[in-house]
Amino acid sequence: MRALDVTRLSLQALQRYPMRTSMLLLAISIGVAAVVTLTAVGEGARRYVTGQFASLGTHMIIVLPGRAETGGSGIQGLLVGETARELTLEDTLAVGRSPRIKQVTPIVVGAGTVSAGSRERDISVIGTSAHMLAIQHWTMGSGQFLPPAELDLAQPICVLGNTVARELFAPAPAVGQPLRIGAARCRVIGVLAQQGLSGGFNVDETVIVPIASAQQLFNTSGVFRILAEASEADAVQAAKRDIVATIKARHAGEEDVTVITQDALVATFDTIFEMITAGLAAIAAISLVVAGVLIMNVMLVAVSQRTAEIGLLKAIGARQRQIIGLFLTEAACLSLLGALVGLAIGGLGTWALKLAFPVLDFAAPPWAAAAAVGVAVASGLLFGILPARRAAALDPVNALSQR
Amino acid sequence: MMELRDICREYKVGTELVRALDHVDLTIKAGEYVSIMGPSGSGKSTLLNMLGLLDRPTAGTYRLEGEDVSSLDDDALARHRQQQIGFIFQFFHLVPRLTALENVELPLVLAGAAPKARRERAVSILESMGLKTRLDHRPDQLSGGERQRVAIGRAIVMRPRFLLADEPTGNLDSRSGSEIMQIIEQLNRDGIALLIVTHDPMIGGRARRHLTLRDGKIVSDRSGEGA
Ligand SMILES: Nc1ncnc2c1ncn2[C@@H]1O[C@H](COP(=O)(O)OP(=O)(O)OP(=O)(O)O)[C@@H](O)[C@H]1O
Ligand SMILES: [Mg+2]
């Protein structure tokens, strides 16, 4: 029998029972549409989150003192960091000399009490340099950021996070006002615009001072972290190698730093969201298996309704395999049609989501659409086998005796 | 040629054994015109199904054109049916969603014939039976007589040597019935062997050979017009 004839006969059979066919099409298309829409949501979330990270600067490289065994986890680096040789301002300058590094800044972080007049707050104090603004992509609310200066020059100036400035000075402007950090006095030269969370740190609740001032404040000669920005995205890995080599040379041949790249963090989030998306797809795919069971039931009914017809086909010479082929093709056509309708519905759903939440870039990944269609057809075929075999095994005399 | 030797067909109903065919010996030669009559339940349909390879004997041997077909598998039987035997049923058994033309084409479709050739053959058969204007009608748009003519077309489209008809006029009024009889008798004159099961003595009487069954046995086998 010709493939075209098999398909035509199957489609004619489907047409004959429009109600039943459309119910099954609906069941399958809902499953496929669910896969498409849910994975579009997962993918949209992934793009949003990784996009947020990327906006922080995928060129960013973080250097921590101490060697993490796996080289990937900053937490381990922090845990073993105490015993390692500390990073210094000189290390920072040395790292910054690599042509693959555009700019670099040291960071010291500590807790301090800031007070202005009668108001007082316990907050984080960050010691850093002028480059911090550009590396972190912060924007100024008023005044100016730390001016470029030698790293070891302690100056009595500070920049306030937005919330701190408000809490200490509102309604008066903060810029130009004197401030005490612990026992030290300084002058507010600028206030950051509202930043929100940046790399898990609430910048709005910090006060930023020159690195040397912070070192005096916390009585340390070391550096908590070095932040560097690679000259371009492609240079990040090379820059990372430069940093390790530089520090190794300066630390008597010991590779006692951990270098984290921003893109490694992004990649981690990427993986997490891809897994979530795959999980959503799998959950939605279960509905396709349910649709498959539905196909099986309906096909079983179809076989018993068409018993006489199957008997006739056998009487005029149809082989068992031809009858199996006819019923399986019917199931396959049904699930394929349903899948196509589902793709269309899923596309519409994704489009509607985009309209509703323009911030998120919803788009079902191609693998999800392909897998949904594949699972739909596979489940149609799989669950079509039992009814098809039952049809093929019918005894022609008995089958023909039914009307 | 169809040769049944010592054929039995038994059904087990509960603990009881029903013998629908009881040691039947029968030979049907090419081109014969045979009627099979007998009371209800005497085994007429069982015999016809046996001859048509729709059923297998529980004992005995069946040779079709010299080949022992008593113990062939399903697909081998299907092949023989496809090539040598045409069936006509009391209830037509047309596929309801297919047109008259498509119903007649169906055996050729199953055999994988080329679309153009099979269409031509089906059209010419339907035209020869006066259904030229009914090619694209579905069964529910045809009268009973027309349906049976379509079914005859389907039965002969593969040019079988044997045409087996189980009460082909049983569902038709007498006028349509005699039209159908004229068509299949013409086919018989053109060379096809015709076996017809019927309750109607008028119809059975037209055959050249008359079999009578009772309780699964052939109780009479007479030849001659109007016997
Ligand atoms: N599937 C079956 N299971 C059990 N017994 C059966 C089966 N088919 C037929 N029989 C029995 O076999 C016998 C012959 O049946 P068959 O259908 O051949 O009779 P028939 O001569 O065609 O009768 P009718 O004129 O009513 O069509 C009957 O006694 C019937 O009950
Ligand atoms: Mg009968």
Side-chain angles (χ1 to χ4, degrees):
Chain A
M1 194 158 37
R2 288 156 185 262
L4 200 67
D5 289 324
V6 176
T7 315
R8 191 174 46 85
L9 286 172
S10 302
L11 289 178
Q12 277 170 331
L14 289 177
Q15 257 174 23
R16 166 86 179 162
Y17 304 98
M19 190 64 191
R20 169 199 301 171
T21 301
S22 43
M23 291 322 272
L24 285 181
L25 284 180
L26 188 67
I28 299 157
S29 59
I30 286 175
V32 171
V35 172
V36 170
T37 318
L38 285 180
T39 55
V41 169
E43 177 74 4
R46 184 188 73 81
R47 288 186 187 183
Y48 180 74
V49 170
T50 56
Q52 286 296 95
F53 266 89
S55 75
L56 291 178
T58 44
H59 306 180
M60 199 199 282
I61 302 168
I62 305 162
V63 187
L64 315 173
R67 170 105 182 110
E69 285 308 317
T70 56
S73 156
I75 293 160
Q76 262 173 297
L78 285 173
L79 289 176
V80 297
E82 285 161 83
T83 57
R85 196 191 303 250
E86 63 187 10
L87 290 167
T88 62
L89 295 181
E90 289 73 35
D91 289 334
T92 311
L93 292 172
V95 163
R97 271 178 220 119
S98 160
R100 295 187 186 84
I101 289 178
K102 188 170 153 198
Q103 48 195 351
V104 64
T105 186
I107 297 179
V108 165
V109 177
T113 307
V114 293
S115 54
S118 59
R119 305 189 204 175
E120 197 176 279
R121 286 271 283 139
D122 288 322
I123 52 170
S124 303
V125 179
I126 298 178
T128 186
S129 75
H131 291 308
M132 186 70 166
L133 185 72
I135 292 177
Q136 294 282 20
H137 298 268
W138 288 340
T139 49
M140 295 306 295
S142 59
Q144 53 160 310
F145 197 67
L146 300 175
E150 293 300 321
L151 288 182
D152 55 3
L153 178 66
Q155 291 176 277
I157 52 173
C158 69
V159 174
L160 295 183
N162 204 273
T163 310
V164 181
R166 215 173 40 242
E167 286 176 353
L168 291 181
F169 296 106
V175 177
Q177 298 295 319
L179 184 80
R180 292 167 77 100
I181 305 174
R185 297 171 165 279
C186 60
R187 193 168 48 85
V188 179
I189 58 165
V191 176
L192 290 171
Q194 188 97 28
Q195 308 290 335
L197 283 176
S198 161
F201 201 77
N202 191 349
V203 186
D204 296 330
E205 307 225 344
T206 55
V207 55
I208 296 150
V209 299
I211 181 82
S213 310
Q215 284 180 325
Q216 283 176 8
L217 205 57
F218 300 123
N219 193 23
T220 173
S221 58
V223 165
F224 175 65
R225 286 180 191 183
I226 299 172
L227 286 191
E229 187 181 328
S231 53
E232 53 187 342
D234 294 340
V236 169
Q237 289 310 315
K240 183 175 168 178
R241 281 194 294 278
D242 281 359
I243 291 171
V244 172
T246 307
I247 301 287
K248 199 171 167 183
R250 296 180 53 82
H251 288 193
E254 258 190 81
E255 196 182 314
D256 56 358
V257 286
T258 302
V259 181
I260 303 170
T261 53
Q262 186 80 31
D263 47 339
L265 280 178
V266 172
T268 307
F269 272 95
D270 225 46
T271 314
I272 292 172
F273 273 94
E274 268 167 16
M275 283 167 67
I276 292 174
T277 305
L280 288 173
I283 291 168
I286 291 174
S287 64
L288 287 175
V289 177
V290 174
V293 176
L294 216 62
I295 290 182
M296 177 166 75
N297 281 325
V298 171
M299 296 287 285
L300 284 173
V301 173
V303 168
S304 63
Q305 279 184 342
R306 273 146 63 185
T307 298
E309 179 188 322
I310 295 160
L312 178 273
L313 285 176
K314 295 195 128 191
I316 62 176
R319 314 291 196 270
Q320 295 205 349
R321 279 182 47 192
Q322 288 181 314
I323 290 171
I324 290 179
L326 279 170
F327 276 87
L328 278 189
T329 308
E330 212 173 304
C333 285
L334 197 59
S335 40
L336 192 63
L337 277 177
L340 294 180
V341 174
L343 283 185
I345 296 176
L348 275 179
T350 308
W351 178 71
L353 278 172
K354 261 186 195 159
L355 284 189
F357 307 96
V359 200
L360 294 181
D361 180 17
F362 295 105
W367 64 260
V373 174
V375 171
V377 174
S379 119
L381 285 176
L382 192 71
F383 288 102
I385 286 176
L386 180 71
R389 292 179 70 108
R390 184 167 291 187
L394 284 177
D395 168 56
V397 175
N398 278 337
L400 281 165
S401 70
Q402 310 223 344
R403 270 187 285 153
Chain B
M1 198 154 77
M2 293 170 152
E3 297 168 88
L4 301 186
R5 289 290 162 267
D6 224 12
I7 290 284
C8 294
R9 178 64 169 100
E10 287 161 351
Y11 292 103
K12 227 193 195 120
V13 182
T15 51
E16 229 176 309
L17 214 58
V18 179
R19 193 165 273 179
L21 291 179
D22 191 359
H23 299 283
V24 171
D25 288 296
L26 178 65
T27 302
I28 310 281
K29 297 202 194 68
E32 275 199 276
Y33 179 7
V34 184
S35 71
I36 304 170
M37 298 188 67
S40 187
S42 57
K44 305 182 293 294
S45 296
T46 308
L47 177 61
L48 203 70
N49 291 336
M50 192 66 67
L51 289 167
L53 298 174
L54 289 171
D55 203 358
R56 284 198 192 83
T58 37
T61 54
Y62 175 13
R63 289 179 173 278
L64 178 62
E65 305 291 5
E67 182 186 349
D68 186 354
V69 292
S70 342
S71 55
L72 291 180
D73 67 20
D74 273 12
D75 281 355
L77 291 178
R79 198 179 61 243
H80 279 101
R81 289 196 294 266
Q82 182 171 52
Q83 290 164 359
Q84 312 195 39
I85 295 161
F87 294 94
I88 307 172
F89 307 96
Q90 181 178 358
F91 298 107
F92 321 129
H93 282 304
L94 298 177
V95 180
R97 58 184 174 277
L98 300 184
T99 63
L101 184 60
E102 288 168 333
N103 266 290
V104 174
E105 270 186 89
L106 197 52
L108 288 163
V109 169
L110 288 171
K116 196 166 172 291
R118 73 185 187 221
R119 177 146 300 230
E120 279 168 10
R121 204 197 291 184
V123 168
S124 81
I125 286 174
L126 283 169
E127 281 179 1
S128 74
M129 282 187 291
L131 291 172
K132 189 175 178 163
T133 57
R134 301 283 188 275
L135 299 183
D136 294 324
H137 287 227
R138 281 198 313 274
D140 57 6
Q141 298 162 330
L142 295 171
S143 74
E146 287 169 336
R147 285 183 213 182
Q148 196 61 302
R149 277 185 271 167
V150 172
I152 294 169
R154 181 183 62 199
I156 61 168
V157 76
M158 296 295 288
R159 303 188 175 126
R161 260 173 291 219
F162 301 92
L163 186 58
L164 311 191
D166 196 344
E167 304 190 34
T169 60
N171 239 13
L172 300 175
D173 60 59
S174 60
R175 208 170 70 87
S176 312
S178 68
E179 273 172 25
I180 292 301
M181 288 312 295
Q182 274 163 25
I183 290 172
I184 58 180
E185 283 171 356
Q186 181 57 49
L187 291 168
N188 174 248
R189 281 193 288 278
D190 294 343
I192 199 167
L194 176 60
L195 282 79
I196 179 165
V197 167
T198 182
H199 280 288
D200 185 341
M202 291 291 284
I203 287 174
R206 297 159 71 132
R208 289 191 297 277
R209 181 178 171 193
H210 313 270
L211 299 179
T212 309
L213 263 70
R214 189 159 291 131
D215 298 332
K217 292 189 177 73
I218 296 177
V219 292
S220 98
D221 181 352
R222 284 172 294 161
S223 293
E225 206 89 25

